[in-house]
Coordinates of all heavy atoms in Angstrom, one line a residue:
R15 N -13.3 9.1 9.6 CA -14.7 9.5 9.1 C -15.8 8.7 9.6 O -16.7 9.2 10.1 CB -14.7 9.6 7.5 CG -16.0 10.0 6.8 CD -16.1 9.5 5.4 NE -16.1 8.1 5.4 CZ -15.9 7.4 4.2 NH1 -15.9 8.1 3.1 NH2 -15.9 6.1 4.2
R19 N -18.8 9.8 12.0 CA -20.3 9.6 11.7 C -20.9 8.8 12.8 O -22.2 9.0 13.1 CB -20.3 8.8 10.5 CG -20.1 9.7 9.2 CD -20.1 8.9 7.8 NE -19.9 9.7 6.8 CZ -19.7 9.3 5.5 NH1 -19.6 8.0 5.2 NH2 -19.5 10.2 4.5
E51 N -10.1 16.3 -2.2 CA -11.5 16.1 -1.8 C -12.3 17.3 -2.1 O -13.4 17.2 -2.6 CB -11.5 15.7 -0.3 CG -12.8 15.3 0.2 CD -13.5 14.1 -0.4 OE1 -12.6 13.2 -0.6 OE2 -14.7 14.0 -0.7
G52 N -11.7 18.5 -1.8 CA -12.5 19.8 -2.0 C -12.7 20.1 -3.5 O -13.7 20.9 -3.7
K54 N -13.6 17.9 -5.7 CA -14.6 17.0 -6.3 C -16.0 17.7 -6.6 O -16.2 18.8 -5.9 CB -14.8 15.8 -5.5 CG -13.7 14.9 -5.3 CD -14.0 13.8 -4.3 CE -12.8 12.7 -4.1 NZ -13.2 11.8 -3.1
R56 N -18.8 16.7 -5.7 CA -19.6 16.5 -4.5 C -18.6 16.1 -3.4 O -18.5 14.8 -3.1 CB -20.7 15.4 -4.7 CG -21.7 15.8 -5.7 CD -22.9 14.7 -5.7 NE -23.8 15.0 -6.7 CZ -24.9 14.3 -7.0 NH1 -25.0 13.0 -6.4 NH2 -25.8 14.6 -7.9
P57 N -17.9 17.0 -2.8 CA -16.9 16.8 -1.8 C -17.6 16.3 -0.5 O -18.8 16.7 -0.2 CB -16.2 18.1 -1.5 CG -17.2 19.1 -2.1 CD -17.9 18.5 -3.3
D58 N -17.0 15.4 0.1 CA -17.5 14.8 1.4 C -17.1 15.7 2.6 O -15.8 15.5 2.9 CB -17.0 13.3 1.6 CG -17.6 12.6 2.7 OD1 -18.2 13.3 3.7 OD2 -17.4 11.5 2.8
A59 N -18.0 16.3 3.1 CA -17.5 17.3 4.3 C -16.9 16.5 5.4 O -16.1 17.0 6.1 CB -18.8 18.1 4.7
T60 N -17.4 15.4 5.6 CA -16.8 14.5 6.8 C -15.4 14.0 6.5 O -14.8 13.9 7.5 CB -17.8 13.2 7.0 OG1 -19.2 13.6 6.9 CG2 -17.7 12.6 8.4
M61 N -15.1 13.9 5.3 CA -13.7 13.6 5.0 C -12.8 14.8 5.4 O -11.7 14.6 5.9 CB -13.5 13.2 3.5 CG -13.9 11.7 3.2 SD -13.1 10.5 4.1 CE -11.4 10.5 3.2
H62 N -13.4 16.0 5.1 CA -12.5 17.2 5.4 C -12.4 17.2 7.0 O -11.4 17.5 7.5 CB -13.3 18.5 5.1 CG -13.2 18.8 3.6 ND1 -14.0 19.6 2.9 CD2 -12.3 18.3 2.7 CE1 -13.5 19.6 1.7 NE2 -12.5 18.9 1.5
H63 N -13.5 16.9 7.8 CA -13.4 16.7 9.2 C -12.3 15.8 9.6 O -11.7 15.9 10.6 CB -14.8 16.5 9.8 CG -15.9 17.6 9.6 ND1 -15.5 18.9 9.7 CD2 -17.1 17.5 9.4 CE1 -16.5 19.6 9.5 NE2 -17.5 18.8 9.3
A64 N -12.3 14.6 8.9 CA -11.4 13.5 9.3 C -10.0 14.0 9.0 O -9.0 13.8 9.9 CB -11.7 12.3 8.3
Y65 N -9.7 14.6 7.9 CA -8.4 15.1 7.6 C -7.8 16.2 8.7 O -6.9 16.2 9.0 CB -8.2 15.7 6.1 CG -8.3 14.5 5.1 CD1 -9.1 14.6 4.1 CD2 -7.3 13.6 5.1 CE1 -9.2 13.7 3.1 CE2 -7.4 12.6 4.1 CZ -8.2 12.7 3.1 OH -8.2 11.7 2.1

Side-chain angles (χ1 to χ4, degrees):
R15 177 199 61 189
R19 286 175 175 171
E51 185 66 40
K54 292 180 179 178
R56 294 182 180 179
D58 185 345
T60 318
M61 282 296 285
H62 280 161
H63 293 321
Y65 287 128

